[in-house]
């Protein structure tokens, strides 16, 4: 037999049931069900809760410790990993954004890589710069299409006059 199982649940059964109905994450539902079982007297031991939820008793113990220390909010808190540190600092991104807004801009993403190396002292890979400029900043490098030197200027202007634009 396990040691005595004693925990005081501050929330009412109705409140736990209501929170259970509005919970949208499975992990939160399991924790709320556990509290509801304890409050309603359906579960008397941690081992019983572990079997009913198909969780190890150490997991149930950890959840109950969180509830004891911080209440329901602490138990249901979702932690998010901070993620990797950005390779390009915010100051450099702001300077790049200003440079992109000027009329001259850049002729290629390789030119941006070189600009970052010279102006900001950053050695950043091409793919990183492309992803930053294209997707995060939403900028496209506008370069006119090459034109043949053999084109007849009279024919081009005549075509522009006679063509129907929509």
């Amino acid at each position: 037999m396990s040691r005595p199982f004693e925990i005081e649940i501050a929330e009412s059964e109705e409140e736990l049931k209501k929170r259970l109905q509005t919970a949208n994450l499975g992990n939160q539902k399991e924790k709320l069900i556990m509290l509801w079982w304890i409050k309603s007297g359906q579960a008397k031991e941690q081992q019983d809760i572990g079997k009913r939820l198909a969780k190890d008793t150490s997991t149930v113990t950890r959840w109950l410790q969180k509830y004891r220390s911080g209440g329901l909010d602490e138990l249901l808190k979702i932690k998010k990993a901070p993620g990797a540190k950005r390779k390009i600092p915010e100051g450099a991104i702001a300077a790049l954004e200003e440079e992109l807004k000027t009329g001259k801009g850049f002729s290629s993403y390789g030119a941006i890589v070189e600009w970052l190396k010279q102006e900001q002292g950053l050695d950043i890979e091409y793919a990183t710069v492309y992803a930053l400029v294209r997707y995060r900043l939403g900028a496209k490098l506008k370069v006119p299409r090459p034109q043949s030197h053999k084109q007849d200027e009279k024919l081009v202007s005549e075509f522009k006059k006679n063509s129907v634009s929509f």
Side-chain angles (χ1 to χ4, degrees):
M1 199 76 181
S2 63
R3 67 181 184 182
F5 178 61
E6 297 173 9
I7 185 167
E8 187 64 36
I9 308 297
E11 293 78 18
S12 67
E13 280 187 59
E14 291 78 28
E15 185 180 344
L16 289 171
K17 227 176 189 180
K18 198 175 286 183
R19 292 280 301 257
L20 182 60
Q21 289 172 346
T22 59
N24 54 1
L25 298 175
N27 195 4
Q28 288 181 341
K29 286 183 180 183
E30 289 176 335
K31 293 173 183 178
L32 288 166
I33 287 172
M34 173 189 70
L35 293 178
W36 183 68
W37 284 340
I38 294 170
K39 185 70 173 185
S40 64
Q42 295 179 29
K44 305 266 190 250
E45 298 178 355
Q46 288 185 10
Q47 291 174 338
D48 183 35
I49 295 170
K51 285 180 185 174
R52 291 173 88 177
L53 289 174
K55 300 284 182 194
D56 191 59
T57 54
S58 62
T59 303
V60 175
T61 304
R62 191 175 60 250
W63 288 353
L64 292 172
Q65 285 174 346
K66 279 186 179 180
Y67 181 78
R68 282 186 185 112
S69 66
L72 190 60
D73 291 334
E74 178 68 25
L75 178 65
L76 298 179
K77 189 187 325 179
I78 300 169
K79 294 181 181 175
K80 186 172 182 258
K85 183 181 168 195
R86 292 204 180 271
K87 293 181 179 181
I88 304 174
E90 290 298 321
I93 292 173
L96 176 61
E97 218 169 351
E98 288 299 316
E99 191 68 25
L100 285 169
K101 286 180 183 175
T102 62
K104 59 182 179 178
F106 297 98
S107 60
S108 68
Y109 293 101
I112 297 175
V113 171
E114 290 301 316
W115 182 84
L116 284 170
K117 194 179 290 184
Q118 290 173 358
E119 298 292 322
Q120 302 294 325
L122 299 170
D123 191 23
I124 307 296
E125 292 180 7
Y126 179 92
T128 306
V129 171
Y130 178 82
L132 170 77
V133 172
R134 183 70 181 94
Y135 300 113
R136 184 158 175 233
L137 299 179
K140 291 183 183 177
L141 303 182
K142 304 288 186 189
V143 179
R145 288 184 170 187
Q147 293 183 347
S148 173
H149 64 280
K150 296 178 184 177
Q151 278 185 340
D152 186 7
E153 291 297 324
K154 291 179 186 175
L155 289 175
V156 171
S157 63
E158 189 176 314
F159 174 77
K160 286 181 181 178
K161 287 180 191 175
N162 295 332
S163 66
V164 179
S165 60
F166 293 96

